Amino acid sequence: MTPEEREELERQAAEYALGTLPADERARFEARLAHDAAACKLVDAWDRRLSPLNEAHAPIAPPPTLWPRIARAIAPRALGAGRSPWSSLRLWRGLAGAGLAAALALALIVALLPREAALGPRYVALLADEAATPVFQVSLDAESGRLAARPLAPRAAGERVYELWLIAGDAAPRSLGVLSPDAATERALPAAIAAELAELAVLAVSLEPPGGSPTGQPSGPVILKGRLARIDG
Amino acid sequence: MTTTPPRAELLAGLLARTATGDERAFQRLYEATGAHLFAVALRIMKARDAAEDVMQDAYVRIWDSASSYAPEKGTPLAWMAAIVRHRAIDALRRRRAHVPLDEIAERETLADPAADALAQALQGAEARRLMACLEGLGEAQKRCILYAYFDGLTQEALARRLEAPLGTVKSWLRRGLMHLKECLER
């Protein structure tokens, strides 16, 4: 990109953030944003530069009818597109005590697991958020070295990814890779990690930039946690 | 609804939980931010139903993209306000095809955002810095940027409002934004 082109891109990003572009130029620039991450970053930077102007507004309460509209609009996304056996886990959310809910939900998962000949210790975990709501179900097979993870309420993929970590005993977190937020993830586990699986080891999910944490350790907020439970046969 | 801006750490935590599908956290996020953002939507749309529609679209987008918030994008409230503004501009651009020109001009002479009252309303350190840089621009460049930001005007609408040729307005915008960036980066 020539310096002139770069300057023009910067101008367009600024005017896009401001809202001054004429309709056709705006439409073309928006189409560019859909695939040009550098252009998106320029717009984000301008949004950030100008945002203090929003402090000039005294708050004005929206009508009480607005929240129900928003809640209804997100409901299809919250429940997930297709009905799956896992969505019935939402029934457990109202039960008193996070431990009870998690234990019952785990029992349900174990009951629904496909019956395969057990080759070795298998572990399952329910990864739940701060409110103890189950969000991911993970199963790990130490013998075959297979990891399978399934979101309980499929979400649209955002800019940041969910990265799964194994924290066994006092060891530093080991990455088990990035999980898809809206579909099942299956992959092979390295033998070294499979050997570290043990009952009650902690699994955690952190929010990371695309491709996973650049540091090899969790760099973003840890949003989900769970412990491995061993199941046999 | 709160009147002072909610703490960034509180909102960041609610956004992270929203990213996991936590509807209760999302509702708390809405309760903490709704009034601040409704004021932004109302200023641009200038009509309550239109502002409510924009708010609905914006919060659904916030729900869908909560996992893409990161501190380098600014405070959570600024990030959310940008989403509301973008949805508002989109709605304005879709709608204006059908609204007669003189009606638009009349609606746009509501409170002048370039007035001194603005400088007094902006309290935070970042806001004062931005205001100082804006004051350093030529009067015309400053007006272009402020009218555009607060009222959602296009280059053409700015030309009508400032009674200047379109080419001149484009030049004011290009230079004004460039100088603004240079000033903020000092």
Side-chain angles (χ1 to χ4, degrees):
Chain A
M1 196 181 294
T2 69
E4 292 80 26
E5 283 169 347
R6 200 170 301 124
E7 201 177 284
E8 176 63 4
L9 184 63
E10 180 82 59
R11 178 200 66 86
Q12 284 190 315
E15 290 209 40
Y16 179 80
L18 208 47
T20 49
L21 292 177
D24 52 350
E25 205 181 337
R26 181 182 168 82
R28 277 198 305 276
F29 192 74
E30 248 170 8
R32 181 174 189 154
L33 289 177
H35 63 84
D36 186 342
C40 284
K41 280 202 164 65
L42 291 181
V43 171
D44 284 349
W46 275 105
D47 281 339
R48 188 177 180 175
R49 268 178 208 113
L50 298 168
S51 67
L53 291 175
N54 292 318
E55 292 172 28
H57 302 294
I60 301 174
T65 46
L66 181 56
W67 169 253
R69 283 174 61 181
I70 295 170
R72 267 197 305 278
I74 65 166
R77 294 158 165 84
L79 289 177
R83 280 268 151 209
S84 72
W86 312 113
S87 63
S88 59
L89 283 169
R90 289 190 164 261
L91 293 173
W92 301 115
R93 281 172 69 180
L95 291 176
L100 174 64
L104 287 171
L106 197 50
L108 183 60
I109 286 178
V110 171
L112 290 172
L113 281 173
R115 296 265 158 221
E116 298 167 9
L119 299 175
R122 298 180 62 194
Y123 301 89
V124 290
L126 257 191
L127 303 186
D129 63 17
E130 263 173 46
T133 305
V135 177
F136 270 99
Q137 176 255 333
V138 178
S139 71
L140 299 163
D141 184 331
E143 177 71 28
S144 70
R146 221 173 113 261
L147 174 155
R150 191 194 307 264
L152 301 176
R155 305 281 333 283
E159 271 180 35
R160 291 212 284 175
V161 300
Y162 297 132
E163 187 163 3
L164 180 64
W165 305 87
L166 171 70
I167 307 169
D170 292 329
R174 305 279 298 271
S175 175
L176 299 184
V178 165
L179 301 181
S180 166
D182 61 359
T185 305
E186 285 195 15
R187 67 167 60 91
L189 281 176
I193 292 189
E196 280 177 34
L197 297 178
E199 179 127 57
L200 297 185
V202 171
L203 287 185
V205 167
S206 64
L207 280 180
E208 301 292 346
S213 170
T215 67
Q217 290 293 287
S219 75
V222 171
I223 53 172
L224 305 175
K225 281 189 211 166
R227 284 190 185 275
L228 294 185
R230 179 174 168 151
I231 55 165
D232 292 308
Chain B
M1 293 286 170
T2 54
T3 49
T4 53
R7 283 180 14 256
E9 312 88 71
L10 168 72
L11 296 184
L14 291 174
L15 264 178
R17 283 164 59 184
T18 300
T20 70
D22 184 340
E23 293 171 60
R24 184 78 195 98
F26 181 58
Q27 184 170 6
R28 286 181 54 198
L29 182 66
Y30 171 80
E31 285 162 4
T33 57
H36 298 280
L37 300 189
F38 191 54
V40 173
L42 208 45
R43 172 71 205 220
I44 294 184
M45 303 309 295
K46 306 203 185 347
R48 291 194 85 101
D49 335 4
E52 288 170 36
D53 289 346
V54 163
M55 286 283 281
Q56 181 183 326
D57 284 348
Y59 274 90
V60 168
R61 175 116 176 103
I62 289 164
W63 165 265
D64 278 345
S65 60
S67 64
S68 66
Y69 170 73
E72 49 275 15
K73 296 198 176 179
T75 66
L77 191 59
W79 180 76
M80 292 171 67
I83 291 176
V84 169
R85 257 200 100 249
H86 281 293
R87 288 288 79 88
I89 300 279
D90 281 347
L92 272 188
R93 300 294 169 256
R94 274 196 307 270
R95 195 176 68 173
R96 289 218 158 150
H98 310 290
V99 181
L101 280 179
D102 29 4
E103 216 185 295
I104 297 174
E106 192 186 279
R107 236 186 265 144
E108 284 163 8
T109 54
L110 301 175
D112 187 337
D116 291 330
L118 175 63
Q120 287 171 25
L122 297 178
Q123 298 291 317
E126 259 194 64
R128 292 202 164 282
R129 253 192 96 217
L130 175 60
M131 209 53 218
C133 283
L134 282 168
E135 291 298 341
L137 304 177
E139 184 67 17
Q141 293 175 358
K142 182 183 85 171
R143 281 177 184 273
C144 280
I145 293 174
L146 289 178
Y147 290 171
Y149 197 79
F150 283 102
D151 292 327
L153 305 187
T154 57
Q155 293 166 355
E156 239 189 75
L158 278 172
R160 281 197 304 276
R161 181 153 186 203
L162 296 171
E163 294 176 327
L166 181 60
T168 307
V169 164
K170 286 192 192 186
S171 169
W172 283 334
L173 280 170
R174 196 181 64 249
R175 295 221 184 98
L177 290 166
M178 197 168 67
H179 292 145
L180 184 61
K181 180 170 182 247
E182 284 164 6
C183 175
L184 287 170
E185 282 170 357
R186 264 185 238 134

